[in-house]
């Protein structure tokens, strides 16, 4: 098969977004629009990738270069189009980056949801020798270029602003995607003019040039409009986001995941689910998250970069973010409601983390419990430890972080402060309200607070008479 060189058009301003951020860097499903497009290009195993930038060029180029590094892909070639004189003018800038022996596959940086299979079919229609256009039939084609045919044969694309009343009645439109042999493309690009309603060099004019040259033109019609919907405004971005999330939810449900309401479900990254997973309403998953067999996620949880093992239950309103260090939740663990797990939290099997408990960079062994209003930072917690309500590891001295080690079977009484570095010996008990600054002995009761005193018949102060 002929080598494919992908061209992504991303120079346009996106005026209707009314944003300082270049349009193609707005996010859908947590990923910049152009990230979806280049990911699709990479899945096609194209030979080359050229990105045409203009508005916000430096920002767009650095974002795409970072994506390439993260995806372990070769950095794309960038060409700049300044000023922007139309889509034909844009592709003219890419000509030096397109070898004559390939097929150019033209994509739009602001049309994120096209599927690789669709583009593969378009490339097959092109077959290294003819101009292949992707088209769709729309109920309301206003604003789009119309596909003008004589019988079945495609004659031209007429832009909305240049179209006659009769042409405006055509509902088959050009989607902005085409596959074309590069040698032919270059020949036609050189002949574009800008004598049209918008005074622009239209890429779509190559169709009539192809017909004039007696070259074959085909249109591949698809009926799934979401794949070719572009983003021009915040409203369209939100609509496409919902369409995208619905697709992700559907795919998970087809796999057996029970999602309480697919309209209140968001994935911004990768979510892998084993069997019998249940997800209640309003949950957001970010980065890489995996949910083991039978995991249940309560309503209103935000979960990022975490692995949650089989049978664990995350109760409502829990916030988990592993960032780069990750979070692990062991088998059968119970977390929340209102819990917060931060980077490096590693909970073993059957661990319980209750309401208003924060865990950061800490390991909790099997069966350890911290059920109420507590902080565990830089701690190593043994099996079956019971960490009392309101207890705190004082892990930071203002300059450095220190570890707290709580050995197996320790009971830490409520409202204790463990001043790190410190080790609590196995099986020991800490009296409530203690401030522990020294290691404690295994099996001992350690109390570090003022003794209770009692003064009998205590007279409370009284107000002086005026
Ligand atoms: C274009 C097509 C139209 C099609 C529609 C589908 C042309 C002339 N018209 O119209 O037939 O129905 O897409 O969405 O091609 N861009 C540049 N440089 C420019 C102008 C545009 O890079 O000078 C980029 C934009 O950033 C965008 C893409 O090209 O990614 C399409 O441009 P846009 O202005 O949206 O074209 P439309 O008028 O919508
Ligand atoms: Mg457009």
């Amino acid at each position: 098969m002929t080598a494919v060189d992908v061209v992504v058009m991303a120079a346009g301003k996106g005026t209707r977004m009314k944003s300082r951020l270049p349009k193609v860097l707005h996010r859908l499903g947590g990923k910049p629009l152009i990230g979806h497009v280049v990911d699709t290009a990479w899945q096609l195993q194209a030979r080359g990738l050229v990105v045409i930038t203009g508005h916000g060029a430096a920002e767009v180029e650095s974002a795409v270069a970072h994506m390439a590094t993260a995806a372990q892909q070769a950095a794309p070639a960038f060409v700049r189009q300044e000023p922007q004189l139309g889509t034909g003018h844009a592709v003219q800038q890419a000509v030096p980056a397109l070898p004559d022996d390939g097929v150019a596959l033209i994509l739009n940086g602001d049309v994120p949801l096209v599927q690789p299979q669709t583009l593969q079919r378009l490339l097959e229609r092109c077959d290294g020798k003819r101009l292949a256009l992707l088209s769709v039939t729309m109920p309301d084609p206003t604003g789009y270029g119309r596909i003008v045919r004589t019988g079945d044969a495609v004659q031209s694309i007429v832009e909305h602003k240049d179209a006659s009343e009769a042409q405006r009645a055509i509902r088959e439109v050009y989607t902005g995607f085409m596959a074309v042999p590069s040698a032919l493309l270059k020949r036609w690009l050189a002949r574009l003019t800008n004598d049209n309603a918008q005074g622009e060099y239209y890429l779509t004019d190559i169709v009539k040039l192809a017909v004039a040259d007696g070259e074959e033109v085909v249109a591949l019609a698809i009926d799934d409009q979401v794949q070719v919907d572009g983003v021009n405004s915040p409203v369209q971005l939100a609509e496409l986001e919902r369409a995208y999330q619905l697709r992700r939810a559907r795919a998970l449900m087809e796999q057996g995941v029970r999602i309480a309401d697919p309209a209140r479900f968001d994935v911004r990254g990768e979510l892998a689910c084993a069997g019998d997973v249940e997800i209640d309403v309003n949950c957001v998953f970010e980065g890489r998250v995996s949910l083991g067999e039978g995991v249940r996620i309560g309503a209103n949880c935000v979960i990022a970069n975490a692995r949650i093992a089989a049978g664990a239950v995350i109760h409502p309103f829990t916030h988990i973010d592993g960032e780069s260090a990750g979070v692990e939740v062991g088998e059968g663990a119970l977390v929340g409601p209102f819990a917060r797990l931060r980077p490096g939290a590693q909970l073993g099997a059957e661990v319980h983390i209750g309401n208003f408990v924060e865990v950061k960079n800490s390991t909790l062994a099997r069966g350890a419990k911290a059920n109420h209003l507590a902080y565990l930072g830089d701690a190593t917690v043994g099996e079956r430890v019971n960490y009392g309500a309101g207890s705190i590891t004082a892990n930071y001295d203002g300059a450095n972080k220190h570890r707290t080690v709580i050995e197996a079977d320790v009971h830490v009484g409520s409202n204790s402060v463990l001043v790190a570095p410190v080790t609590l010996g196995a099986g020991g008990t800490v009296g409530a309200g203690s401030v522990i600054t020294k290691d404690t002995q295994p099996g001992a009761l350690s109390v570090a607070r003022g003794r209770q005193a009692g003064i009998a018949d205590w007279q409370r102060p009284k107000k002086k008479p005026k």
Side-chain angles (χ1 to χ4, degrees), residues 109 140 163 213 266 322 343 433 465:
D140 177 11
D213 283 0
D266 288 83

Side-chain angles (χ1 to χ4, degrees), residues 202-274:
Y202 292 160
L203 176 63
T204 44
D205 278 351
I206 71 169
V207 176
K208 63 182 185 218
L209 298 174
V211 171
D213 283 0
E215 297 287 347
E216 206 182 345
V217 183
V218 293
L220 171 65
I222 61 165
D223 44 25
D224 181 14
Q225 203 191 309
V226 165
Q227 285 196 46
V228 295
D229 272 342
V231 172
N232 297 298
S233 65
V235 170
Q236 287 174 352
L237 181 60
E239 285 169 356
L240 216 52
E241 176 77 32
R242 278 346 299 163
Y244 169 80
Q245 293 298 348
L246 204 55
R247 281 179 184 212
R248 299 211 58 172
R250 286 240 165 88
L252 287 163
M253 291 188 290
E254 270 157 25
Q255 222 183 283
V257 178
R258 296 190 289 278
I259 296 176
D261 182 359
R264 288 178 287 169
F265 168 79
D266 288 83
V267 182
R268 302 173 188 154
E270 307 299 323
L271 174 62
C273 296

Side-chain angles (χ1 to χ4, degrees), residues 47-220:
R47 168 177 66 184
L49 175 58
V50 191
V51 180
I52 304 165
T53 62
H55 277 283
E59 242 181 300
V60 173
E61 289 166 13
S62 100
V64 174
H66 274 101
M67 290 168 209
T69 311
Q72 298 183 308
Q73 296 282 347
F78 295 107
V79 295
R80 289 199 182 178
Q81 183 202 16
E82 275 154 355
Q84 285 86 39
L85 303 179
T87 52
H89 178 252
V91 179
Q92 281 169 353
Q93 314 311 306
V95 161
L98 295 175
D100 279 342
D101 64 347
V103 159
L105 175 65
I106 296 179
L107 311 181
N108 277 307
D110 60 357
V111 183
L113 299 186
V114 68
Q115 295 297 299
Q117 304 86 288
T118 303
L119 298 176
Q120 201 59 57
R121 282 171 58 210
L122 187 66
L123 287 165
E124 281 158 20
R125 295 307 302 274
C126 165
D127 197 23
K129 55 184 187 247
R130 58 179 88 84
L131 171 57
L133 310 168
L134 191 68
S135 74
V136 69
T137 298
M138 288 185 176
D140 177 11
T142 307
Y144 289 87
R146 309 299 204 280
I147 307 272
V148 179
R149 296 177 185 255
T150 309
D152 244 9
V154 175
Q155 296 300 324
S156 61
I157 296 174
V158 179
E159 293 304 312
H160 182 87
K161 288 185 180 154
D162 300 284
S164 64
E165 277 309 307
Q167 288 166 333
R168 286 187 182 181
I170 298 171
R171 293 189 302 119
E172 185 186 7
V173 304
Y174 171 56
T175 59
F177 294 92
M178 66 167 70
V180 50
S182 297
L184 292 174
L185 173 67
K186 291 181 189 182
R187 201 210 289 169
W188 299 324
L189 284 175
R191 281 153 55 191
L192 291 181
T193 60
N194 65 351
D195 50 352
N196 52 50
Q198 301 184 79
E200 288 183 5
Y201 295 89
Y202 292 160
L203 176 63
T204 44
D205 278 351
I206 71 169
V207 176
K208 63 182 185 218
L209 298 174
V211 171
D213 283 0
E215 297 287 347
E216 206 182 345
V217 183
V218 293
L220 171 65

Side-chain angles (χ1 to χ4, degrees), residues 310-334:
V313 179
I314 311 298
H315 289 294
F317 296 98
T318 292
H319 184 226
I320 299 178
D321 189 354
E323 296 175 21
S324 53
V327 161
E328 308 258 346
V329 175
E331 279 190 26
L334 304 180

Side-chain angles (χ1 to χ4, degrees), residues 393-409:
T393 53
N395 58 326
Y396 184 54
D397 60 13
N400 297 298
K401 300 269 176 75
H402 301 282
R403 273 202 99 71
T404 299
V405 177
I406 308 176
E407 292 178 353
D409 299 301

